[in-house]
Amino acid sequence: MTRRSCALYAAGVVCALLLVAGIGLIVAQTFRTFMYNRLKKEIVLVEGSRVFETWKKPPPPVYMEFFFFNVTNVKEFLEGAKPVVKQVGPYTYREYRYKDNVSMVENGTMVSAYNIKSFVFLEEKSVGHPAEDYITTVNIPAWAVMNKVKGSFWKSSMVSIWMNSVGSGIFTNRSVEELLWGYEDPLLARVASSSPEVETTFGLMYKKNGSDDGEFIYHTGEQNYMDYGRVKTWKGLSQLKFWRSNQSNSINGSDGSAFHPLLDKNERIYIFTPDLCRSIYMEFEKDVEVKGIPAFRFTPPRSVMASKEENPANEGFCVSPKNCLGTGLLDVSPCRKGAPVVASFPHFYLAEDKYVNAIDGLSPQRTHHQTFLDLNPTTGVIVRANKRAQINVLINRIAGFPKTRILNDTIFPVMFINESVVIDDASAARVQKLLLIVTLVSNFPLIILGLGIIMLISFIILFLRARRQKNEVKRIVFTKPSYATSAEDDTSYSPVSDKEKDDSQNGTYIGLTAKADPNA
C-alpha cells in the first residue's frame, strides 16, 4: 500500500470520527450542559463564590436624580383653576450602597443582610444647589394630618385652628434640601405636643441617608439556581400586612440587586421594593447591548399597576373596595402611616390619560420615564438599569377644612426619582471574559464538527485526485520504437571466423551482423 493510499484512508477515518463526535456532542449538548452546571455552582451567595464580594459591595456607581414639580399658580388653583407645574431638576446624588451584617443562617442555606445606602451631592451633575433652590409644592404633613382626623368634627376643627395659628397651608415653599432630607414642620410639632408618638420632622428622604430598610434574608441559590438572591423574609415577614389579599401581600423575587443566571425571555422577573411596599414584575421587551455585553431588557408592563377592571389580580391593592384608584397609580398610604401618598411612574407614564390631563406641564415619554433592567442572560448580571418612580399626593375636599371646599379630587405630582446604574469598565471586562469562556466551551462541539467538515473536504479532494491519476495510468498505450523491424528479422548471429564454428562453447567471439540478403 502506497503512502498516498495510507493518507487517504487516514483522512477518511479521522473525518468520520470528527463528524460523528461533533454531531453527537451537539445533539447531547454535553459541553453546554457542563458549562451551565458550572455557572449554577459558581453564582451562589456563599463565602468564596465568584459573586459574593461584588454582591456585598457592588462596584458600579449608582446615581440618584431628584426632579421636583414646582407649582406656578397656587392662588389660581385654590380658586378653581387647573394646576400648572414646571419640572425642576435634576438634583443628582452619588449613591453608595453595600450590605452590612452579612451572615449565613439556617445551616448555611440562607444569608442575612442589611442594605445600607448613603448619598453625596454632585453639584456638577445638578441644575442648582439643594440648599438654595426653593420649590412650591403640596404640604404633605398638612394633608397627612387632615386625612388622619377627617370624619371627626372636633378633631378636624382643632387641627384647622392649629393650621391657622402656625401658618400651615395646603401648599408650602421649601428648599430642595428641606424637602428631601427633612425639616421640622410647625403643624407636626403642634400635634406632637398632645401625641408624642408623632414625628415632628418631615422629608421625602428623611432617615434614608446612611440607614437601611430592615433585615433581608435571601436564598443563596445553592440548592436551586432559580432562587439565587430571592428574598425569603423582610423584617422577619414572609408575607406583608398592608394589602387586602394574600397575592398582593406576597414577597416575590429579589431586592433588585441580584438575578439568577440563564435567564429566559419568556419569564417574568419579580422584584420586591420596600419603597412601594409591594412586589412588582417585569417582562422582556427587547435585546440590547451595553459595553459589548449582550443583554435582555425587562420592563414593567401596564398590567403591573393596572386598575382592578383591567387586571383583577390588583384588586388586593385597593385600600378599600370603594376607594380604588385607576390604572397607573398605587395608593401607598397603608405603609406611609395613613399619609395620602400615591405612587406612579414619572409624568403618569402608563397611567390613564385623565391623570395627565388634570395637570398642565406633564408629558409622559417612554425614553425618559420608563423603568427598565438590562440583564446579561447568561450570568444574570445587571449591565444597566433605570428605576423611575413618582411621588404624588391625593388632594380633595375634606370636611372641617374650609380651604379645601372648592378642590376637586386631584392626584398632585410632587417629585420623581431616577435611580440609574451602568456597569463599570472593570466589571464589564470580567463579564466579557467569562462570556468568552462560556462561548468557547459551549461551542467546542461546533469546532470539532468544523474540523470534521474540513477533513471531509480534504478527503474528497484526495479521493478524486487519486481516482483521476489511476484512470490516466489505464489509458497509457505502449508502442514500439520507429526504428524496430519484425520480431525475428531484426538481427542475426554469424561467426566472425571459422575458428568460432569449431568452438564447442559457441566461442566468445560473437559478432552481431546484419543477415545477408539472399537475393543479393
Side-chain angles (χ1 to χ4, degrees):
M1 185 179 291
T2 64
R3 289 184 178 181
R4 183 170 297 176
S5 299
C6 291
L8 185 61
Y9 286 124
V13 172
V14 173
C15 167
L17 290 175
L18 289 174
L19 288 175
V20 171
I23 294 173
L25 290 173
I26 291 174
V27 172
Q29 296 287 308
T30 304
F31 282 84
R32 184 181 295 272
T33 302
F34 167 78
M35 201 65 230
Y36 285 178
N37 288 337
R38 186 70 179 174
L39 282 174
K40 293 173 186 178
K41 291 180 180 180
E42 287 286 336
I43 303 180
V44 289
L45 298 179
V46 296
E47 290 285 356
S49 71
R50 185 184 294 271
V51 297
F52 195 60
E53 289 302 319
T54 57
W55 175 76
K56 291 194 294 185
K57 295 181 180 180
V62 180
Y63 297 99
M64 179 73 89
E65 296 177 316
F66 298 96
F67 297 84
F68 288 87
F69 294 100
N70 187 55
V71 186
T72 61
N73 67 335
V74 171
K75 182 179 178 181
E76 292 80 4
F77 173 69
L78 294 176
E79 294 174 352
K82 189 177 182 179
V84 179
V85 299
K86 182 181 179 181
Q87 179 179 299
V88 180
Y91 296 91
T92 306
Y93 290 75
R94 169 73 186 272
E95 180 182 328
Y96 294 88
R97 51 170 65 186
Y98 65 94
K99 290 180 169 61
D100 195 22
N101 291 333
V102 178
S103 58
M104 305 306 295
V105 296
E106 299 188 24
N107 296 322
T109 60
M110 304 285 171
V111 58
S112 170
Y114 291 80
N115 298 323
I116 308 296
K117 295 181 181 180
S118 59
F119 301 88
V120 177
F121 178 65
L122 301 177
E123 188 169 5
E124 67 275 11
K125 291 181 175 290
S126 305
V127 297
H129 199 281
E132 301 171 356
D133 297 350
Y134 279 73
I135 302 293
T136 299
T137 186
V138 177
N139 189 346
I140 297 179
W143 282 99
V145 174
M146 287 190 290
N147 275 272
K148 190 72 173 179
V149 300
K150 69 179 179 181
S152 172
F153 173 76
W154 296 108
K155 291 182 178 180
S156 297
S157 300
M158 184 179 296
V159 169
S160 182
I161 295 172
W162 288 346
M163 289 179 65
N164 290 329
S165 65
V166 300
S168 181
I170 59 178
F171 284 88
T172 188
N173 184 262
R174 296 282 178 177
S175 69
V176 170
E177 188 172 60
E178 289 177 316
L179 291 172
L180 284 176
W181 309 113
Y183 62 92
E184 185 165 317
D185 184 79
L187 179 59
L188 293 178
R190 185 69 184 83
V191 173
S193 63
S194 58
S195 301
E197 73 279 3
V198 174
E199 179 69 63
T200 61
T201 301
F202 169 78
L204 295 168
M205 296 291 291
Y206 180 55
K207 291 185 176 180
K208 291 188 177 182
N209 196 352
S211 62
D212 61 81
D213 294 323
E215 183 190 31
F216 283 83
I217 293 182
Y218 305 90
H219 290 267
T220 63
E222 197 168 18
Q223 296 176 322
N224 185 348
Y225 81 98
M226 294 289 288
D227 288 334
Y228 168 72
R230 184 168 66 86
V231 177
K232 182 184 180 183
T233 62
W234 173 61
K235 292 184 176 181
L237 300 173
S238 57
Q239 283 277 109
L240 302 175
K241 299 179 180 179
F242 304 123
W243 313 111
R244 297 176 51 249
S245 71
N246 290 332
Q247 182 178 354
S248 299
N249 280 318
S250 296
I251 297 178
N252 297 320
S254 73
D255 64 351
S257 64
F259 297 90
H260 69 79
L262 309 180
L263 291 163
D264 188 90
K265 291 181 179 180
N266 297 319
E267 69 178 292
R268 278 182 170 179
I269 301 297
Y270 284 87
I271 301 173
F272 170 68
T273 168
D275 293 332
L276 295 178
C277 310
R278 63 163 290 188
S279 298
I280 65 170
Y281 56 83
M282 297 186 176
E283 296 177 347
F284 174 80
E285 182 184 61
K286 61 181 179 180
D287 290 290
V288 295
E289 185 176 290
V290 181
K291 294 187 177 181
I293 301 173
F296 292 166
R297 172 161 293 183
F298 288 87
T299 185
R302 178 183 170 96
S303 59
V304 169
M305 291 201 291
S307 66
K308 64 178 181 179
E309 287 77 21
E310 283 189 37
N311 184 3
N314 287 342
E315 186 174 0
F317 293 112
C318 296
V319 177
S320 65
K322 295 182 179 179
N323 185 19
C324 201
L325 300 175
T327 293
L329 304 180
L330 175 67
D331 187 348
V332 294
S333 60
C335 64
R336 291 291 181 269
K337 299 180 179 180
V341 178
V342 176
S344 70
F345 293 116
H347 287 244
F348 298 121
Y349 172 70
L350 294 183
E352 295 179 32
D353 291 338
K354 65 180 180 180
Y355 300 116
V356 180
N357 298 332
I359 309 288
D360 274 346
L362 299 182
S363 178
Q365 301 175 32
R366 188 181 74 169
T367 304
H368 301 297
H369 305 137
Q370 181 191 50
T371 290
F372 66 83
L373 277 171
D374 293 341
L375 305 174
N376 175 251
T378 303
T379 62
V381 170
I382 301 172
V383 294
R384 179 171 54 197
N386 280 84
K387 173 188 173 184
R388 292 158 171 156
Q390 181 169 297
I391 297 174
N392 313 278
V393 174
L394 173 61
I395 62 176
N396 52 11
R397 298 185 186 94
I398 300 178
F401 297 94
K403 293 181 180 180
T404 68
R405 64 178 180 271
I406 63 171
L407 298 181
N408 296 318
D409 290 4
T410 306
I411 307 297
F412 215 100
V414 175
M415 175 194 79
F416 79 83
I417 63 171
N418 178 26
E419 190 176 22
S420 61
V421 62
V422 178
I423 190 170
D424 60 291
D425 293 340
S427 299
R430 287 194 294 270
V431 172
Q432 288 173 343
K433 182 179 179 180
L434 178 60
L435 293 178
L436 178 61
I437 294 172
V438 172
T439 301
L440 289 176
V441 174
S442 299
N443 293 326
F444 189 68
L446 291 177
I447 298 174
I448 295 177
L449 182 62
L451 291 174
I453 293 174
I454 293 173
M455 291 297 296
L456 176 62
I457 295 172
S458 301
F459 173 75
I460 293 173
I461 293 173
L462 290 173
F463 178 80
L464 293 177
R465 183 177 296 176
R467 186 169 184 177
R468 184 178 59 190
Q469 291 178 351
K470 185 176 181 180
N471 291 335
E472 288 178 354
V473 170
K474 288 181 178 181
R475 287 195 298 268
I476 295 176
V477 177
F478 292 95
T479 59
K480 292 180 291 185
S482 59
Y483 56 80
T485 59
S486 61
E488 295 182 355
D489 296 336
D490 290 341
T491 58
S492 64
Y493 296 94
S494 62
V496 175
S497 64
D498 292 337
K499 185 179 179 179
E500 182 181 351
K501 295 179 182 178
D502 298 331
D503 190 352
S504 59
Q505 301 297 325
N506 200 21
T508 57
Y509 305 96
I510 299 175
L512 184 63
T513 59
K515 190 176 182 180
D517 187 349
N519 298 321

